[in-house]
């Protein structure tokens, strides 16, 4: 087990510098254009693939970093560049995590490479869990997967929403109910291969922020996938469902489902994204305050501005510490006994919203215009308190964990 440390090693520092350079030289100059276009920035994805950032190898190296700091470090630097473009670059990762967390070795080796493609033919993947009537309330999921034993196929029907890369993905990872009576414990995850009949894009959303990232509904109309596309395999699913039914009968401990395992693994990473956006806004505000003069002196000479910046810097550092702790715990198999993963996402998400708002205030009228990036950063920051578990859901998870009570 790697010891927890606040100091990056030399290799990690080199990777961070490399990512920061890409974010500064490639992502930031393109940010305003793709925000306005509200389209997937395929040219930037291709550049990221050419240098090895958008690839299975890079993601795996960071994911399996024994210190746990590879993923949060990478997320922070990319989202420092721009949240919308960065989400287009890393959005495939959520689907990849779903396969890594729940799939067999054969499934991992077969499907994750197809999620990324290569530098000459870039692909993306989508993780599809939320539904129009089942976002935070995952137990209300209506998408059904029914096993056709005669053909060894699963038949999936339903509608998914808020899916990053939904409909344009080469590979979709879909969470569906296989036993509605078990609620969220009766869910399983499935691979929907490329060009599968019945899988199509529904409404594409026009969003407040992260507009360079494609978000859409995914329609599943009698989608048939081979039995081998059930993540983890049917034997493992049958065993899990049997345990869940027994626990439900006896009132025993909870059984985690595949979607929840994916979200638990990804929450500190989302926190790191929020840290990157918050840090970017803080740095813009700091530079502006040191150079903008009013009444014959830089505005940072005023305590009202300087103290805001002090609070912003403190909050960003505190958020990073919580994210790093949770990431280290996750990679080293330490249980989140106090919901540390949810803590990291909650605090970092709220920090991003607050810090980007403070940055606009420090820039004044300039901050409210699109001539300065803090306006876009503030719009982007709003998503962190919503996706992959709202702030309210994080507080529910934390309060249940620390109290041991079924708080509603």
């Amino acid at each position: 087990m790697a010891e927890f440390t606040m100091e990056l090693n030399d290799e990690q520092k080199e990777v961070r510098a490399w990512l920061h350079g890409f974010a500064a030289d490639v992502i930031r100059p393109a940010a305003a254009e793709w925000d306005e276009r509200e389209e997937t920035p395929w040219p930037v994805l291709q550049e990221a693939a050419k240098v090895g950032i958008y690839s299975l190898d890079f993601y795996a190296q960071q994911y399996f970093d024994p210190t746990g700091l590879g993923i949060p470090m990478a997320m922070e630097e990319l989202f420092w560049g721009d949240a919308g473009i960065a989400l287009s670059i890393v959005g495939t990762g959520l689907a990849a995590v779903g396969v890594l967390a729940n799939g067999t070795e054969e499934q991992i080796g077969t499907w994750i490479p197809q999620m990324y493609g290569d530098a000459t033919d870039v692909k993306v993947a989508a993780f599809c869990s939320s539904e129009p009537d089942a976002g935070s309330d995952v137990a209300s999921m209506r998408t059904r997967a029914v096993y056709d034993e005669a053909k060894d196929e699963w038949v999936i029907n339903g509608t998914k929403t808020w899916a990053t890369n939904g409909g344009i993905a080469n590979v979709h990872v879909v969470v569906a109910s296989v036993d509605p009576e078990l609620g969220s414990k009766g869910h399983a995850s499935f691979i929907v291969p490329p060009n599968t009949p019945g899988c199509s894009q529904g409404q594409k959303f026009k969003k407040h922020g992260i507009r360079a990232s494609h978000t859409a509904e995914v329609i599943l109309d009698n989608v048939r996938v081979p039995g081998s596309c059930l993540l983890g395999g049917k034997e493992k699913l049958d065993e899990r469902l049997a345990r869940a039914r027994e626990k439900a009968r006896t009132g025993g401990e909870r059984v985690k489902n595949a979607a929840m395992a994916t979200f638990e693994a990804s929450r500190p990473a989302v926190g790191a994204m929020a840290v990157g956006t918050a840090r970017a806004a803080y740095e813009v505000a700091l530079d502006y305050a040191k150079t903008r003069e009013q009444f014959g002196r830089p505005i940072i000479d005023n305590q009202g501005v300087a103290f805001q910046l002090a609070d912003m810097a403190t909050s960003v550092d505190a958020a990073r510490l919580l994210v790093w702790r949770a990431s280290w715990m996750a990679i080293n198999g330490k249980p989140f006994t106090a919901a540390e993963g949810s803590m990291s996402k909650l605090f970092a998400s709220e920090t991003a919203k607050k810090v980007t708002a403070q940055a606009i205030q420090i820039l004044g009228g300039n901050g409210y215009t699109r001539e300065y990036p803090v306006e876009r950063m503030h719009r982007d920051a709003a998503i962190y308190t919503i996706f992959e578990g709202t702030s309210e859901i994080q507080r529910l998870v934390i309060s249940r964990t620390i109290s041991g009570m079924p708080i509603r």
Side-chain angles (χ1 to χ4, degrees):
M1 181 178 71
E3 292 296 324
F4 180 68
T5 176
M6 293 301 303
E7 182 67 25
L8 298 177
N9 59 42
D10 289 343
E11 182 178 351
Q12 290 169 327
K13 288 177 181 178
E14 288 180 8
V15 172
R16 182 178 62 180
W18 172 52
L19 290 171
H20 186 80
F22 185 85
D25 298 339
V26 180
I27 294 178
R28 278 206 170 176
E33 175 189 351
W34 291 99
D35 177 71
E36 292 287 344
R37 292 177 62 165
E38 298 190 54
E39 296 174 359
T40 300
W42 292 106
V44 181
L45 280 177
Q46 190 169 33
E47 288 301 312
K50 285 179 181 177
V51 299
I53 293 174
Y54 187 76
S55 70
L56 171 61
D57 287 345
F58 174 75
Y59 193 85
Q61 286 173 11
Q62 305 315 310
Y63 186 84
F64 292 110
D65 182 337
T67 70
L69 302 185
I71 288 293
M73 175 194 66
M75 296 298 171
E76 179 177 338
E77 293 305 326
L78 293 173
F79 280 74
W80 172 90
D82 176 70
I85 291 178
L87 190 57
S88 283
I89 293 174
V90 308
T92 293
L94 184 58
V97 167
V99 177
L100 285 169
N102 305 297
T104 64
E105 289 187 9
E106 182 179 357
Q107 289 170 331
I108 291 170
T110 298
W111 296 112
I112 293 184
Q114 295 187 50
M115 293 179 174
Y116 288 92
D118 56 44
T120 60
D121 186 19
V122 173
K123 304 293 186 183
V124 295
F127 183 76
C128 308
S129 178
S130 293
E131 297 182 3
D133 296 317
S136 299
D137 183 12
V138 293
S140 297
M141 186 175 293
R142 295 182 180 178
T143 298
R144 288 292 312 277
V146 178
Y147 185 56
D148 183 342
E149 189 170 359
K151 295 184 177 180
D152 186 25
E153 291 179 341
W154 288 89
V155 185
I156 308 173
N157 283 281
T159 299
K160 295 298 182 179
T161 193
W162 310 122
T164 298
N165 298 328
I168 66 171
N170 195 47
V171 176
H172 291 79
V173 178
V174 175
V175 182
S177 174
V178 297
D179 189 336
E181 291 185 0
L182 291 175
S184 61
K185 302 178 188 68
H187 294 173
S189 293
F190 299 85
I191 293 288
V192 178
N195 303 314
T196 298
C199 180
S200 63
Q201 179 181 309
Q203 175 188 5
K204 177 187 175 183
F205 296 104
K206 296 180 72 67
K207 304 188 300 293
H208 174 65
I210 55 167
R211 302 197 306 191
S213 173
H214 176 97
T215 309
E217 291 181 330
V218 175
I219 311 299
L220 302 145
D221 182 12
N222 285 321
V223 169
R224 285 183 168 268
V225 300
S228 60
C229 287
L230 166 64
L231 289 181
K234 194 167 188 304
E235 182 178 347
K236 183 178 178 181
L237 172 65
D238 289 342
E239 291 175 357
R240 179 167 62 81
L241 293 178
R243 291 198 306 271
R245 294 185 188 108
E246 178 64 18
K247 299 300 182 184
R249 186 181 66 82
T250 61
E253 62 183 287
R254 297 174 62 199
V255 178
K256 293 177 182 176
N257 63 58
M260 290 300 100
T262 298
F263 287 134
E264 281 189 11
S266 63
R267 276 173 178 157
V270 177
M273 298 173 189
V275 172
T277 299
R279 183 184 122 211
Y282 157 71
E283 290 177 359
V284 171
L286 177 62
D287 289 343
Y288 185 89
K290 290 163 67 175
T291 56
R292 172 69 168 173
E293 291 192 0
Q294 290 283 282
F295 305 106
R297 61 179 184 175
I299 62 173
I300 199 171
D301 279 356
N302 300 297
Q303 286 186 357
V305 174
F307 285 8
Q308 277 198 78
L309 287 162
D311 286 344
M312 292 160 74
T314 301
S315 295
V316 171
D317 272 14
R320 184 184 298 108
L321 288 173
L322 285 171
V323 167
W324 282 20
R325 179 185 69 169
S327 301
W328 173 80
M329 290 176 68
I331 198 68
N332 285 287
K334 289 187 171 292
F336 289 158
T337 55
E340 289 88 350
S342 289
M343 283 184 179
S344 70
K345 181 186 182 296
L346 171 65
F347 189 81
S349 298
E350 296 293 340
T351 293
K353 281 186 68 174
K354 182 178 180 180
V355 167
T356 54
Q358 289 174 307
I360 289 177
Q361 195 67 24
I362 289 171
L363 269 67
N366 286 330
Y368 199 66
T369 71
R370 295 189 182 181
E371 295 299 314
Y372 288 81
V374 292
E375 176 270 341
R376 184 179 68 252
M377 293 169 183
H378 184 52
R379 286 189 285 108
D380 291 341
I383 194 60
Y384 299 127
T385 63
I386 298 173
F387 72 175
E388 292 199 49
T390 64
S391 286
E392 290 74 24
I393 288 296
Q394 306 310 319
R395 292 184 176 101
L396 186 63
V397 171
I398 295 166
S399 60
R400 284 176 175 174
T401 304
I402 63 177
S403 70
M405 302 294 289
I407 297 168
R408 294 181 179 273

